[in-house]
Amino acid sequence: GIQVEQSPPDLILQEGANSTLRCNFSDSVNNLQWFHQNPWGQLINLFYIPSGTKQNGRLSATTVATERYSLLYISSSQTTDSGVYFCAVEKDDYKLSFGAGTTVTVRA
Amino acid sequence: DAGVIQSPRHEVTEMGQEVTLRCKPISGHNSLFWYRQTMMRGLELLIYFNNNVPIDDSGMPEDRFSAKMPNASFSTLKIQPSEPRDSAVYFCASSLNYYTGELFFGEGSRLTVL
């Protein structure tokens, strides 16, 4: 199956800082999604982005499919951004393969 | 619009008891997934339904686990008998169809088996 590697595994930010999370994957994909799992455990769909760039408020994502990576940008971080960010990919079936996640802690 | 609805949110039971987790997918979504999340193994896909039909249950750990989708708006995941190693958060997720793939998760059911 596809291997998904996320980096860094942990990230501590001061409120207001910017950051970049990375997702590398081992094969071409049809589907790539970013999720945020908040401290209460809820998994929220952030972006469906198999290629290209999307923005939603302070968050944006870019996927370079030909080079097999995706980046998630958090700008002007807030404490509510804390949690675990997952990248998930799918090649040619319905099975999303999840990375191990990046744990983000934003300090006030 | 209501999202994916799961119940119960928390379940504590004793080893050997039957556990039933329930899920209502987003209206109009044709694909439904059950995932399990643990610290050791992360998020694992247990079973996938498309148009109410189980397509792939290869992720179901063993025969103690079963899942049904009697109609487009309801699915159950049953564990019988339950064991302590089944303790995990079980997520249900739905997507519009197999081809779009954008996945929306419920809030999860946290299961503790004593």
Side-chain angles (χ1 to χ4, degrees):
Chain A
I2 296 180
Q3 303 303 308
V4 183
E5 294 184 0
Q6 293 188 241
S7 60
D10 300 281
L11 191 59
I12 299 176
L13 302 170
Q14 201 63 36
E15 200 169 30
N18 303 327
S19 64
T20 301
L21 283 58
R22 188 177 179 100
C23 172
N24 292 331
F25 42 95
S26 60
D27 202 348
S28 59
V29 298
N30 293 329
N31 181 354
L32 188 147
Q33 296 179 54
W34 283 96
F35 296 90
H36 175 221
Q37 188 165 35
N38 64 25
W40 295 271
Q42 190 176 7
L43 273 163
I44 298 168
N45 188 319
L46 296 177
F47 294 103
Y48 172 71
I49 186 166
S51 64
T53 297
K54 289 186 178 180
Q55 181 158 5
N56 184 0
R58 296 180 296 102
L59 300 181
S60 63
T62 295
T63 297
V64 184
T66 53
E67 297 187 21
R68 300 181 184 171
Y69 74 88
S70 182
L71 303 174
L72 179 69
Y73 305 96
I74 306 174
S75 65
S76 304
S77 58
Q78 301 178 359
T79 55
T80 52
D81 295 330
S82 295
V84 183
Y85 289 81
F86 290 102
C87 169
V89 303
E90 171 212 327
K91 180 175 172 58
D92 53 12
D93 57 20
Y94 45 82
K95 295 181 179 179
L96 275 178
S97 297
F98 281 79
T102 293
T103 300
V104 174
T105 303
V106 182
R107 293 179 173 167
Chain B
D1 288 341
V4 177
I5 299 172
Q6 292 186 244
S7 65
R9 292 293 311 282
H10 302 274
E11 175 93 5
V12 180
T13 190
E14 293 190 347
M15 184 173 63
Q17 296 299 304
E18 178 179 293
V19 173
T20 299
L21 307 178
R22 297 172 178 81
C23 174
K24 176 179 169 56
I26 293 173
S27 178
H29 280 194
N30 295 320
S31 297
L32 183 140
F33 305 79
W34 283 98
Y35 282 84
R36 178 172 68 174
Q37 186 179 34
T38 60
M39 289 293 292
M40 292 296 294
R41 301 173 68 94
L43 276 157
E44 304 174 275
L45 177 64
L46 300 178
I47 188 169
Y48 157 61
F49 291 87
N50 192 49
N51 291 324
N52 312 338
V53 176
I55 303 300
D56 186 342
D57 65 355
S58 60
M60 297 285 261
E62 47 197 276
D63 292 345
R64 298 184 297 106
F65 286 69
S66 63
K68 294 182 180 180
M69 192 165 186
N71 57 61
S73 59
F74 184 66
S75 177
T76 59
L77 178 68
K78 186 174 293 187
I79 308 172
Q80 167 63 20
S82 58
E83 297 182 3
R85 60 191 167 127
D86 302 330
S87 297
V89 181
Y90 291 81
F91 286 99
C92 176
S94 70
S95 66
L96 188 60
N97 57 52
Y98 159 29
Y99 299 102
T100 64
E102 191 170 11
L103 207 57
F104 296 90
F105 282 86
E107 293 186 326
S109 294
R110 181 175 294 277
L111 173 64
T112 302
V113 183
L114 303 175

